């Protein structure tokens, strides 16, 4: 398995991969309570756990286990199984049903394929507006995340001495309580985002 990128090794990775860091710009969202897959089913429920995290962010009064079970029951109507998990094309439909049930008055939308249907500017826009994103990826191309959904809660732009921008997505990965980072440049085009607005 590849190396997890987190706060203590990220800068070293950037310098080794892209060169000397000249400047850093970043933005993140505070107040998101992370949940872990192992608290619930622990197998292929990364998307369900991500949806729970979003629901808790927008409606802190929900009961965690009750909400998780409701999400799972809705997901089963859209072909979710414990073996294969959630089909990305159906994530937005699941979210809409869950938001309606819990009186979360946010609009949920999806975009597919990195640098085709969505790009780093979309991430910047939504994070800057204070709304987290569910990111579903086939692979991070670093042999760490594969067929996995995470919460994107921020971004960091490392500007190197050649004046190039290197973006990293700050995520809650449903495996750890602390933040992880995904190298946007290496991230597979086979990916999607579910984003929110009020």
């Amino acid at each position: 398995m590849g190396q997890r990128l987190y706060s203590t090794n990220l800068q070293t990775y950037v310098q080794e991969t892209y060169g000397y860091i000249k400047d850093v710009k970043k933005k993140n969202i505070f107040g998101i309570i992370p949940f872990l897959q192992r608290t619930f089913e622990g197998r292929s429920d990364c998307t369900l756990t991500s949806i729970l995290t979003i629901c808790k962010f927008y409606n802190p009064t929900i009961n965690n286990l009750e909400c998780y079970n409701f999400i799972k029951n809705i997901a089963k109507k859209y072909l979710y199984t414990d073996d294969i998990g959630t089909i990305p094309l159906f994530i937005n439909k699941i979210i809409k049903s869950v938001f309606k049930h819990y009186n979360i008055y946010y609009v949920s939308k999806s975009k597919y394929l990195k640098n085709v249907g969505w790009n780093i500017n979309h991430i910047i826009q939504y994070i800057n507006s204070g709304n987290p994103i569910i990111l579903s990826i086939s692979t991070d191309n670093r042999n760490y995340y594969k067929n996995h959904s995470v919460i994107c809660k921020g971004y960091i732009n490392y500007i190197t001495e050649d004046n190039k921008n290197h973006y990293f997505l700050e995520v809650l990965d449903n495996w750890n309580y602390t933040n992880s980072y995904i190298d946007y440049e290496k991230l597979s085009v086979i990916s999607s985002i579910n984003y929110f607005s009020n």
Side-chain angles (χ1 to χ4, degrees):
M1 192 171 191
Q3 180 189 42
R4 178 185 176 222
L5 295 177
Y6 52 104
S7 59
T8 58
N9 67 356
L10 180 59
Q11 187 167 315
T12 299
Y13 170 84
V14 175
Q15 293 186 153
E16 290 178 349
T17 307
Y18 298 112
Y20 177 77
I21 299 167
K22 186 170 71 173
D23 196 12
V24 180
K25 297 179 181 179
K26 58 185 177 180
K27 176 77 173 181
N28 57 25
I29 300 170
F30 295 100
I32 301 176
I33 298 172
F35 293 98
L36 303 184
Q37 289 175 247
R38 63 177 177 265
T39 303
F40 303 101
E41 305 296 333
R43 290 183 59 191
S44 300
D45 63 338
C46 54
T47 301
L48 309 188
T49 308
S50 294
I51 295 172
L52 173 62
T53 300
I54 294 292
C55 288
K56 191 73 174 182
F57 179 68
Y58 288 131
N59 183 356
T61 65
I62 64 170
N63 178 280
N64 301 342
L65 183 57
E66 177 188 67
C67 184
Y68 175 88
N69 288 332
F70 183 83
I71 294 166
K72 186 172 184 177
N73 286 334
I74 295 296
K76 285 179 178 178
K77 297 178 182 179
Y78 293 97
L79 307 180
Y80 169 85
T81 69
D82 290 332
D83 290 326
I84 66 169
T86 309
I87 298 170
L89 289 173
F90 295 138
I91 294 174
N92 197 46
K93 292 182 181 293
I94 298 167
I95 292 170
K96 286 179 182 292
S97 295
V98 175
F99 275 16
K100 183 177 180 181
H101 180 79
Y102 286 101
N103 298 316
I104 298 172
Y105 301 109
Y106 279 75
V107 176
S108 172
K109 295 182 180 179
S110 299
K111 290 183 183 293
Y112 303 94
L113 303 177
K114 187 193 87 169
N115 291 335
V116 179
W118 68 276
N119 58 41
I120 191 62
N121 292 322
H122 293 100
I123 299 291
I124 292 170
Q125 175 187 342
Y126 306 133
I127 296 300
N128 286 353
S129 71
N131 293 296
I133 299 158
I134 296 178
L135 169 66
S136 301
I137 61 179
S138 60
T139 176
D140 65 355
N141 282 315
R142 294 188 56 259
N143 198 32
Y144 190 74
Y145 296 121
K146 187 174 182 180
N147 297 324
H148 194 50
S149 289
V150 299
I151 298 291
C152 180
K153 64 183 291 285
Y155 61 86
I156 303 177
N157 177 17
Y158 288 98
I159 303 166
T160 47
E161 60 184 343
D162 54 4
N163 289 317
K164 291 184 178 179
N165 297 307
H166 302 280
Y167 287 95
F168 287 76
L169 308 182
E170 181 179 314
V171 305
L172 296 169
D173 66 5
N174 301 306
W175 298 341
N176 305 278
Y177 284 117
T178 54
N179 297 330
S180 296
Y181 297 88
I182 292 175
D183 186 338
Y184 178 79
E185 291 175 48
K186 294 186 182 297
L187 179 63
S188 171
V189 67
I190 308 300
S191 55
S192 63
I193 58 172
N194 284 269
Y195 60 100
F196 314 99
S197 61
N198 54 6

